[in-house]
Amino acid sequence: MDSLPSKSSSITLRDITADNWEHIIRLVVNKDQLALVPSNIHSLCDHQFVSGSYVRAVYANETPVGYIRVNVNTQQHGLVQCFMIHQACQGLLFGTRAMALLQLELENQGVATLTVNTKPFETVPLEDSPAHFFTALGFQPGNNEHQLVCELKRSDLSTKYKN
């Protein structure tokens, strides 16, 4: 990463292409978060072979700062497979703004719900759990004890997390 973006940087979601994939696979989370998400290269490889897989690069201005992978099934329900913000860019609200943009994109494509599997969160202390991040964005406990679910019929998202 050449220069670090700032909290005021504009956040966008972009396609992962031949021009940016190498930047995306070099992004890493903090060491204590490594057990929570697969490596970006592993996730991108899986994406190539899974029907309904949807990937986006998170950019702050023109700098790639994160990666998202969601699997969308035939019933139009999404499951977050990977959501990460580069270690040097955490704490700048990029994750919050990127997730809001993702929710809007998926809602516009007809996806009804977005689910996060919380089982990996059990590997970290409660105060460090990403569950707090997701519940602040409207995710609620699902039918499975290891899931948080968000209904995507939330028109307030576009104004709640402005770029």
Side-chain angles (χ1 to χ4, degrees), residues 10-137:
S10 178
I11 301 301
T12 55
L13 301 182
R14 301 184 189 178
D15 290 333
I16 296 176
T17 67
D19 295 326
N20 68 0
W21 75 270
E22 290 184 88
H23 296 286
I24 301 306
I25 65 169
R26 286 192 217 114
L27 300 174
V28 294
V29 294
N30 291 323
K31 189 186 289 188
D32 62 335
Q33 298 168 330
L34 290 172
L36 300 176
V37 292
S39 70
N40 292 350
I41 193 163
H42 183 169
S43 183
L44 272 173
C45 287
D46 279 350
H47 161 71
Q48 296 301 314
F49 303 103
V50 175
S51 176
S53 184
Y54 179 85
V55 294
R56 302 298 272 152
V58 179
Y59 274 74
N61 295 333
E62 295 303 312
T63 303
V65 298
Y67 168 75
I68 302 170
R69 177 173 161 223
V70 176
N71 287 352
V72 178
N73 67 21
T74 54
Q75 290 81 35
Q76 292 302 88
H77 299 288
L79 175 63
V80 176
Q81 295 292 328
C82 184
F83 179 76
M84 65 81 67
I85 298 295
H86 184 64
Q87 61 187 356
C89 298
Q90 292 183 12
L92 299 174
L93 298 178
F94 295 165
T96 300
R97 292 160 57 200
M99 184 56 71
L101 290 170
L102 175 69
Q103 289 171 320
L104 287 171
E105 275 191 16
L106 292 173
E107 181 181 349
N108 288 336
Q109 294 175 25
V111 175
T113 60
L114 188 58
T115 301
V116 175
N117 177 4
T118 60
K119 183 74 172 157
F121 300 172
E122 295 174 1
T123 64
V124 297
L126 183 60
E127 64 272 8
D128 296 331
S129 173
H132 303 296
F133 168 80
F134 289 104
T135 55
L137 288 173

